[in-house]
Structure formats: structure tokens, C-alpha cells
Amino acid sequence: MTTRISLQALVTPALDGARLDQAAAALFPDYSRGRLQQWIKEGGLLVNGRQLRGKDRINAGDALVLETELASEETHEPEAIALDIVHEDDDVIVLNKPVNTVVHPAAGNRTGTLLNALLHHCPALREIPRAGIVHRLDKDTTGLMVVAKTLQAHRQLVKQLQRREVEREYEAIVIGVMTGGGTVDLPLGRHPVHRQKRAVIENGKEAVTHYRVLNRFHAHTHILVKLETGRTHQIRVHMSHIRYPLVGDPLYGGRLQIPRGCSNALADAIKQFRRQALHARRLGFEHPSTGEYMSWEAELPSDMQALLAVMQADQ
């Protein structure tokens, strides 16, 4: 199944002198850099009517014309997996992702993912890049996500994310007692040794995390986190870097820590909580069609509620 694509764009002054493939990625954000590079090689993306190479420099005012066919991006199979949908209209789906759910198929997780479930719920998502998924949550992070149902909606939501206009609030439980809130503004990139991890590195991408205290316990803190940027594992890495790792985090939490002198109930609860204590509780953005600001909240999942109750009782 294919979809005919016919798009035009003028190179903006901000992109003057940029490589063609870089400018194309900025002007046609619905499509991956790799896919655009392939279209450039095939002659499907022309500059002022001429075929150029991806590395060629272009100028402000140049006209980019994209004429090509898009084969269905998703070859993954639809699966009848229940979705906790909190809002749906012609443009977007807002859902509450449960724990132990991978968002996108990858090696070792080809089925049973959120994407498989979305393709069953809305088969038209096959025609949208990444099946409409504009941002992700880690496998064991719960909470709110938005999925675009049209190319226009996808484009608008990606732009809002890039402009940091999407409101994303999380609740987390960290190890250690914080004296107050703050901001972590440290660049993130792939860990130099452990390739499946991220780390604070000097030449990484900008990453900004704001946090404030909701409640303090004997050896833990319940915090509210707001993201400016959305880097992979951002909250988990930033909190670990400032020595307040998330409870239960298998990658960044370090060895299991049982507070000295805590109750047996708390010790057991911590031992049994084997995923990062992180929940995307609030999501807000301008609706891609109406422009109306909309927001949703999802209460803490039962496992985090139970853990907080035991911590409160241990005070």
C-alpha cells in the first residue's frame, strides 16, 4: 500500500547554507533523515528543479519540491491489545501507558508493543511516520502519551515538542531526602562504555529538567518533575547524576538500598519494586487542528501509590 506525497517548501533564512539533507529534515519533519536522504538520491526531492546530493549546500529562498510515493511505513502486525485511552478525536489519541509495555517494536520485542496495539485500534496509522507516535516512554515508565492520527497532526505536535510548548509533568520517587527543588541543565548523550545507557557528557544534547519536592520521607523523596527537553532516559539520568536516583531503576539506580532502621514493610516494598518509580502524570498541548490548549492528568498507578503509603507509614 502506497501514499502519494507532493510537498513544497522554501528554504528559510535560518537554513541558509545548510546541507540539503539537514534542511530537508527541518522543513519536512514528518519524515526521518534516512528516508529523506533516500528520496534525495532517487531524485524525489529536487531543489529549484534540479537533483542535488544530500551534502550539497543550499540557500535561503531555494524551492524544495518533494514528489514521491510512500510505502506503508509499518510492517508490524496489528494486535488486539487493550489500550487505556483517555481522549480520542479525528486528530489525536491520548493514552495512559501501563507498566511493562514497550512503545515501539525492536530486536527482542517485535510483538506485544504499544505500536502493535495502535495499529489494531486504528489501521490508518500505518500511513503516519512511526504510527503517529511523537514521543516515547520507557518500557516501565507509566503515564500519558499522545499519538497523532494524521500527518498534519503529527507535524504540528512535533513542532510543539521542538519549540518546548508541550507540557509534560512526571511524578517520581527518589532515593535520598532532598532539601528543596531545583533545575538540572546538563547535556546528555550515549554512555561512552555502556551503549544501552545514557550519561551526562560534555558534547551531548541539551537537556533541562526542573523538579520540586512533593513530600519527604525518612530516606526518600516524592518529587514533581517538569521537562523542557525530552532526551532518552532524561529524568532517570539527571536524578542519578545529582545523587538522587529513582527507586527501583535497574539501569541508573545502583545497588538495592534498604534504609537503616526502616520497617519490615518498607524493606519488603522496596525489594519488590523492581521498576523505575516514574509516572507521566500530566500532558498538555495545543490541539493540532483547533489550536485550543488541552491537558489531561493520570493518577499514580497502584504500585507507586502503595509504595508511597508504606513510606508515609514508616515516618
Side-chain angles (χ1 to χ4, degrees):
M1 185 175 183
T2 60
T3 301
R4 185 69 189 172
I5 297 173
S6 181
L7 297 172
Q8 300 180 20
L10 291 178
V11 177
T12 62
L15 295 171
D16 185 43
R19 288 171 51 119
L20 172 57
D21 53 4
Q22 294 172 335
L27 294 169
F28 305 115
D30 288 337
Y31 307 103
S32 68
R33 175 81 66 87
R35 173 158 279 172
L36 288 164
Q37 288 172 333
Q38 186 63 36
W39 286 336
I40 291 170
K41 291 179 182 178
E42 295 171 352
L45 178 57
L46 302 180
V47 180
N48 300 326
R50 297 188 301 123
Q51 182 176 357
L52 300 180
R53 298 169 300 175
K55 65 181 181 179
D56 289 338
R57 303 289 173 172
I58 57 176
N59 302 310
D62 284 346
L64 272 59
V65 176
L66 178 60
E67 295 280 353
T68 188
E69 288 188 344
L70 175 66
S72 177
E73 180 149 327
E74 299 303 338
T75 58
H76 307 291
E77 291 299 317
E79 293 182 60
I81 301 170
L83 292 170
D84 182 4
I85 294 175
V86 299
H87 172 84
E88 181 173 9
D89 57 37
D90 291 340
D91 299 284
V92 298
I93 301 170
V94 176
L95 56 89
N96 187 13
K97 188 186 85 67
V99 71
N100 195 33
T101 300
V102 174
V103 170
H104 197 284
N109 290 292
R110 305 301 300 177
T111 61
T113 72
L114 186 67
L115 186 144
N116 297 113
L118 285 166
L119 290 177
H120 180 270
H121 174 74
C122 182
L125 289 175
R126 282 192 179 279
E127 306 308 317
I128 312 300
R130 294 170 292 281
I133 296 169
V134 296
H135 65 118
R136 301 187 186 187
L137 294 176
D138 297 332
K139 174 185 175 183
D140 286 328
T141 297
T142 57
L144 296 171
M145 292 179 56
V146 61
V147 176
K149 294 176 68 175
T150 69
L151 281 171
Q152 178 194 23
H154 188 273
R155 182 165 54 249
Q156 290 297 324
L157 289 168
V158 168
K159 285 182 178 179
Q160 289 186 53
L161 280 166
Q162 292 172 340
R163 295 194 297 256
R164 305 183 184 182
E165 296 171 350
V166 176
E167 182 181 12
R168 287 173 290 174
E169 287 186 358
Y170 294 73
E171 287 187 49
I173 308 170
V174 300
I175 300 170
V177 182
M178 290 182 168
T179 57
T183 296
V184 184
D185 184 354
L186 294 169
L188 297 179
R190 193 176 293 277
H191 195 287
V193 177
H194 305 289
R195 305 303 290 172
Q196 80 276 22
K197 297 176 67 173
R198 297 298 190 272
V200 171
I201 58 174
E202 186 175 352
N203 61 343
K205 294 182 179 180
E206 182 187 16
V208 182
T209 305
H210 306 283
Y211 63 95
R212 67 178 177 88
V213 172
L214 293 176
N215 202 358
R216 297 181 184 87
F217 304 105
H218 174 64
H220 300 87
T221 310
H222 180 200
I223 61 173
L224 176 70
V225 183
K226 288 189 176 184
L227 289 182
E228 271 196 41
T229 54
R231 308 304 178 196
T232 301
H233 298 175
Q234 178 173 322
I235 295 172
R236 299 166 64 187
V237 178
H238 271 171
M239 291 299 105
S240 178
H241 186 80
I242 64 172
R243 302 179 186 273
Y244 291 101
L246 272 59
V247 170
D249 193 329
L251 274 182
Y252 306 101
R255 62 179 178 81
L256 181 65
Q257 298 183 44
I258 304 299
R260 184 175 300 175
C262 76
S263 66
N264 290 335
L266 179 57
D268 290 342
I270 292 172
K271 291 175 183 177
Q272 294 168 14
F273 200 95
R274 302 315 301 156
R275 60 105 169 177
Q276 61 270 9
L278 184 62
H279 173 69
R281 80 161 195 179
R282 181 178 173 84
L283 177 68
F285 54 84
E286 286 189 2
H287 191 278
S289 289
T290 68
E292 175 189 1
Y293 182 80
M294 306 178 73
S295 65
W296 299 265
E297 290 195 15
E299 69 174 14
L300 280 175
S302 58
D303 62 346
M304 286 183 67
Q305 290 190 38
L307 182 59
L308 287 170
V310 176
M311 288 179 174
Q312 184 67 50
D314 192 63
Q315 289 290 80

